[in-house]
Amino acid sequence: MLILGIETSCDDTAAAVVEDGALARSSVVSSQDSIHARYGGIVPELASRRHIEMIIPVVDEALAAAGVKINDIDGIAVTQGPGLVGSILVGLSFAKAVSLSTGIPITGVNHITAHTHAAFLREPGAPDAPPDLPFVALIASGGHTTLLLQETHTAYRILGQTRDDAAGEAFDKLAKLLGLGYPGGAIIDRLAKEGLATAFPFTRPYLAKGSLDFSFSGIKTAAMTVIKGLDPAPDHKTVCDIAASFQEAAVDVLVKKSLWAVKATGARSLVAAGGVACNSRLRERLAQAATAEGINLSIPPPRFCSDNGAMIAALGYYQFKDGRTADMTLNAVPAWDGF
Ligand code: KG4
Ligand code: ZN
């Protein structure tokens, strides 16, 4: 079964063709980073306008790279939310129009639980090593930080969420404070390799004992206070030390809470996904923890951790198998609690 996945929930226009919920025959992502960089964050109106320009070329490229025509596609999976409503509506309206004109069935997908399905994807020629269900999933991105128990492909239970900033948002804000550019996660990751993680002892916000919720605004404010207190402005070495110390604090919390969630649910497998799962220190620390605790860990390659259409197609495949085909009333669901 060939599924065309379409993703426009935020600032990436993405499309992919995935076979049987696993084999990514193509995955095309058109990034808008250069458009939003000068504003230090995403400007929703610019994002939706760019999606309108890019949606047709991106879908055409995904079909061509997979070596198929639209009539070879068995189902269209499209992001319904959560995300920016103007952005979601571009992909959703396009997908509905294609479905209406071709008769190809359509299904609406939750972007956050689609992130966990990146763990089921494989590239052509790569071995198939899907995680065992049920598993705990840590989804850390620019918009969300969530722990959930994925019970079946299409059923999940939320275990914890951020109460304020998302992890990626905190990385981006720190990078902005340090004048490093946008998006900042990958820049902080790179500079942290040259820094000392113990240079600035940022508090780890664990909240109540055993809580699976997150809070990142406190570390961000602590970093802001440190940066504003530096006179003269921080040199390269100090910037690297701040990056390393901040990253270590955030990673400590993400790793520890993931382990708590595994223990609380009795699951044997852990999946990490979302843009922050590209972080090299987080990947390293999760791997160490999984080995020490005997947990099966699955972290998709970076191109499937950050926003992409293949993860949408992978989850969509299982929704079609469950008979969840939508009609033309399919609408955007900008907030998570709308699902
Ligand atoms: O999943 P994603 O591509 O989009 C959203 O759904 O938000 O995640 C983007 C986020 C950004 O905040 C970006 O700074 C962060 O992921 N990110 C990273 C790294 N690469 C991307 N954060 C920390 N370390 C990285 N290497
Ligand atoms: Zn995402």
Side-chain angles (χ1 to χ4, degrees):
M1 197 169 171
L2 285 181
I3 306 296
L4 171 66
I6 295 176
E7 154 61 32
T8 63
S9 68
C10 194
D11 61 337
D12 290 315
T13 317
V17 175
V18 175
E19 193 176 313
D20 296 338
L23 178 66
R25 298 258 303 248
S26 66
S27 181
V28 177
V29 180
S30 168
S31 164
Q32 300 184 358
D33 285 351
S34 59
I35 293 173
H36 303 288
R38 83 186 78 153
Y39 305 101
I42 296 162
V43 183
E45 180 62 21
L46 295 181
S48 35
R49 284 170 191 234
R50 186 64 178 158
H51 284 309
I52 292 171
E53 289 167 359
M54 294 312 295
I55 187 74
I56 292 175
V58 165
V59 170
D60 278 349
E61 194 182 329
L63 292 170
V68 298
K69 301 251 179 293
I70 190 68
N71 289 328
D72 299 319
I73 296 294
D74 299 298
I76 299 170
V78 62
T79 303
Q80 240 186 313
L84 302 170
V85 68
S87 289
I88 299 165
L89 281 170
V90 177
L92 194 71
S93 308
F94 176 80
K96 280 162 68 173
V98 174
S99 173
L100 191 64
S101 60
T102 58
I104 300 171
I106 187 171
T107 191
V109 166
N110 178 329
H111 176 93
I112 306 302
T113 53
H115 267 298
T116 71
H117 279 69
F120 293 97
L121 292 170
R122 70 186 161 90
E123 320 251 15
D128 198 7
D132 290 327
L133 288 159
F135 58 73
V136 166
L138 168 71
I139 304 145
S141 72
H144 300 272
T145 305
T146 302
L147 276 165
L148 57 83
L149 180 68
Q150 191 78 42
E151 294 166 315
T152 68
H153 276 287
T154 50
Y156 63 87
R157 186 157 57 86
I158 295 175
L159 304 170
Q161 303 221 56
T162 183
R163 295 185 187 170
D164 40 59
D165 291 351
E169 189 180 357
F171 273 92
D172 292 340
K173 284 181 179 165
L174 176 70
K176 192 172 179 179
L177 281 168
L178 290 168
L180 298 173
Y182 172 86
I187 306 170
I188 298 286
D189 189 349
R190 199 176 66 241
L191 294 177
K193 292 188 201 311
E194 297 174 46
L196 188 63
T198 51
F200 295 92
F202 295 124
T203 308
R204 277 58 172 158
Y206 290 113
L207 306 172
K209 192 167 168 23
S211 167
L212 298 179
D213 280 344
F214 296 93
S215 169
F216 290 103
S217 68
I219 324 183
K220 179 194 68 191
T221 309
M224 194 183 342
T225 309
V226 164
I227 294 163
K228 289 205 169 136
L230 292 171
D231 187 20
D235 56 13
H236 180 73
K237 160 103 182 58
T238 310
V239 168
C240 293
D241 285 348
I242 294 171
S245 302
F246 174 91
Q247 176 176 275
E248 202 65 16
V251 167
D252 270 348
V253 175
L254 293 168
V255 171
K256 189 162 273 189
K257 295 207 175 224
S258 300
L259 296 182
W260 287 350
V262 169
K263 196 162 267 177
T265 56
R268 303 295 319 139
S269 303
L270 174 65
V271 165
V276 178
C278 298
N279 184 269
S280 59
R281 185 69 179 141
L282 178 62
R283 295 172 85 92
E284 182 179 62
R285 291 278 311 279
L286 282 174
Q288 287 166 356
T291 304
E293 304 286 331
I295 297 165
N296 302 313
L297 176 68
S298 185
I299 313 180
R303 74 192 201 98
F304 291 143
C305 277
S306 48
D307 288 350
N308 65 87
M311 66 184 198
I312 306 298
L315 175 53
Y317 167 76
Y318 290 99
Q319 293 188 184
F320 281 120
K321 287 216 330 187
D322 282 358
R324 277 171 57 186
T325 300
D327 60 22
M328 288 300 123
T329 62
L330 185 69
N331 212 343
V333 183
W336 169 279
D337 53 12
F339 278 91

